Amino acid sequence: EKGNYRHFMEKEIHDQPEGCQRTIAAYVDTLGGRVAVPGDLDFAKLERVQIVACGTSYIAGVIGRYLIEQLADLPVDVEIASEFRYRDPAIRPASLVIAMSQSGETADTLAALRYCTERGMQSAAIVNATESTIAREVDVVWPIHCGPEIGVASTKAFTAQVSVLISIAIAAAKARGRLSEAEEQRLVKVLLEAPRLIAEAIGLEDAIRDIAVEVSKAKDVLYLGRGPMSALALEGALKLKEISYIHAEGYAAGELKHGPIALVDDQTPIIILAPFDAWFEKSASNMSEVMARGGQVVFITDTEGAKHAPAGAKVVVTAPSSDPLISALVMSAPIQLLAYHVAVLKGADVDQPRNLAKSVTVE
Ligand code: F6R
């Protein structure tokens, strides 16, 4: 039930601190301060991971790649399932396919998974629906435990998927001898802080509603970020276009000069996602570049980043600072809320956007 909320999507955005807590509790031994990923998969023996997924689940996979490669030194490929399944991809048996799907029924994701398992790959699924077709066909099921998601636009499933991937990245790093016990405990502690920081980020809702008034008048919106924030830029754009019907593009900010900068004018809001991480300086200089061309920048950063941001942004949104391990979780709420409030202002049917279905069981 929606309770006091107008839409399921709004409720599901607000459910995320609790949902995330539930997810993390299933992947972490809280008392011992260690990861405890279910299943008997030996990450030390893997040569590669192939993630297959569609839509928002694909974007969660891209964030997972950053973390798994960085922490575990394990090569990860992430591919849109509808492309993967039809292109005769090269398969190596010592690799793991991870099918990522909230519903567990997405036709293309299922077909991509089968392509891999038929060729001898080990398989895992990160799913919400544990009774689904995809969950039944894999060696290891990694549930996201976020409860049923009713809104067509994925929100709490996305942060739950990312939470599972963070746990997997830590577990893989540990199995591959890349983490001391102290370092594992530190990362687990960081992960356990995520629900509280997500709640703080949701607390920015009033400020974001004000920004939504401006954004709702735009014809086009550009989202930029680097590192995991480049994936979140894709997610911000996807959320906005699917529920508010405003054209939006997400780009890795380094690509700006290679085309999208031509879109910049004083009518186009540019949303830059830039927590104070290893990429911050680069994103900040992209901000200066778009401002020099009249771009109206909404700079979504964190407490530390706000201190270092170049002057001149139209608005600065200051999320709580966090370790880069969890910044994608913390920065999700502002972009979800922005899409939500823009859609509400435009009078769109937020929970049932036109032409979309919650579960895409046909290709
Ligand atoms: C976007 C959205 C879709 C789904 C995609 C995959 O908000 O919800 O892009 O993420 O259709 O669905 P699942 O995860 O069920 O395979």
Side-chain angles (χ1 to χ4, degrees):
E1 261 316 298
K2 282 192 288 233
N4 290 329
Y5 295 102
R6 276 168 301 172
H7 301 100
F8 281 105
M9 182 181 176
E10 185 186 22
K11 175 175 190 296
E12 286 161 0
I13 291 172
H14 284 263
D15 276 351
Q16 290 177 112
E18 211 190 305
C20 224
Q21 179 122 39
R22 248 197 330 273
T23 311
I24 294 166
Y27 288 84
V28 157
D29 159 15
T30 330
L31 289 178
R34 292 156 181 273
V35 273
V37 170
D40 53 5
L41 213 117
D42 188 354
F43 289 103
K45 294 214 175 82
L46 292 179
E47 280 171 21
R48 258 186 77 227
V49 171
Q50 174 70 58
I51 300 177
V52 289
C54 304
T56 287
S57 294
Y58 163 80
I59 293 168
V62 176
I63 292 169
R65 175 176 59 196
Y66 281 99
L67 299 170
I68 297 170
E69 292 215 352
Q70 187 203 357
L71 288 177
D73 189 34
L74 173 59
V76 179
D77 285 315
V78 191
E79 193 164 340
I80 292 165
S82 57
E83 284 300 311
F84 182 88
R85 68 178 289 196
Y86 288 120
R87 73 170 175 86
D88 300 322
I91 296 296
R92 295 291 175 275
S95 44
L96 170 73
V97 58
I98 303 179
M100 179 102 83
S101 175
Q102 187 282 131
S103 63
E105 301 293 349
T106 300
D108 284 320
T109 307
L110 176 61
L113 167 69
R114 285 180 177 157
Y115 180 95
C116 295
T117 52
E118 280 160 11
R119 286 160 182 78
M121 274 170 80
Q122 295 180 79
S123 58
I126 298 179
V127 290
N128 199 21
T130 49
E131 306 298 316
S132 57
T133 312
I134 286 175
R136 279 198 300 273
E137 295 202 10
V138 291
D139 303 323
V140 184
V141 178
W142 286 320
I144 62 173
H145 296 290
C146 71
E149 190 178 61
I150 312 294
V152 165
S154 180
T155 52
K156 66 174 182 175
F158 174 70
T159 44
Q161 288 168 328
V162 172
S163 302
V164 171
L165 286 163
I166 295 171
S167 310
I168 288 169
I170 302 172
K174 182 180 172 185
R176 296 167 72 80
R178 306 256 311 168
L179 278 190
S180 68
E181 210 164 291
E183 184 65 359
E184 179 189 3
Q185 296 206 337
R186 188 189 75 80
L187 293 176
V188 166
K189 204 165 148 240
V190 166
L191 181 56
L192 290 168
E193 284 168 6
R196 178 178 61 82
L197 296 174
I198 295 171
E200 270 186 50
I202 292 172
L204 298 166
E205 185 156 14
D206 286 343
I208 288 174
R209 203 182 283 113
D210 292 343
I211 299 168
V213 175
E214 288 303 308
V215 173
S216 67
K217 296 175 194 152
K219 241 170 73 55
D220 306 284
V221 180
L222 196 55
Y223 288 76
L224 301 171
R226 287 175 183 255
M229 294 301 127
S230 70
L232 220 51
L234 299 177
E235 176 62 2
L238 178 58
K239 280 298 85 101
L240 188 72
K241 63 190 139 191
E242 71 180 320
I243 59 168
S244 78
Y245 315 136
I246 293 177
H247 170 244
E249 301 244 22
Y251 262 99
E255 280 289 284
L256 197 61
K257 288 193 171 73
H258 303 284
I261 200 161
L263 289 174
V264 174
D265 61 20
D266 59 6
Q267 304 297 309
T268 310
I270 323 272
I271 319 267
I272 301 183
L273 301 166
F276 196 68
D277 58 14
W279 294 274
F280 179 83
E281 291 301 330
K282 297 280 171 199
S283 301
S285 78
N286 291 132
M287 169 176 162
S288 304
E289 282 163 8
V290 294
M291 284 187 317
R293 288 158 183 85
Q296 304 295 306
V297 173
V298 175
F299 196 64
I300 306 187
T301 183
D302 56 14
T303 319
E304 219 25 58
K307 292 182 200 154
H308 295 85
K314 188 147 194 226
V315 201
V316 177
V317 177
T318 309
S321 283
S322 67
D323 188 280
L325 182 75
I326 57 165
S327 56
L329 294 175
V330 180
M331 300 290 279
S332 288
I335 59 162
Q336 295 166 346
L337 287 166
L338 181 61
Y340 173 76
H341 286 292
V342 171
V344 169
L345 284 165
K346 298 201 79 172
D349 185 350
V350 176
D351 284 333
Q352 293 287 335
R354 68 186 182 206
N355 309 338
L356 289 173
K358 183 69 185 159
S359 187
V360 184
T361 53
V362 291
E363 64 171 298

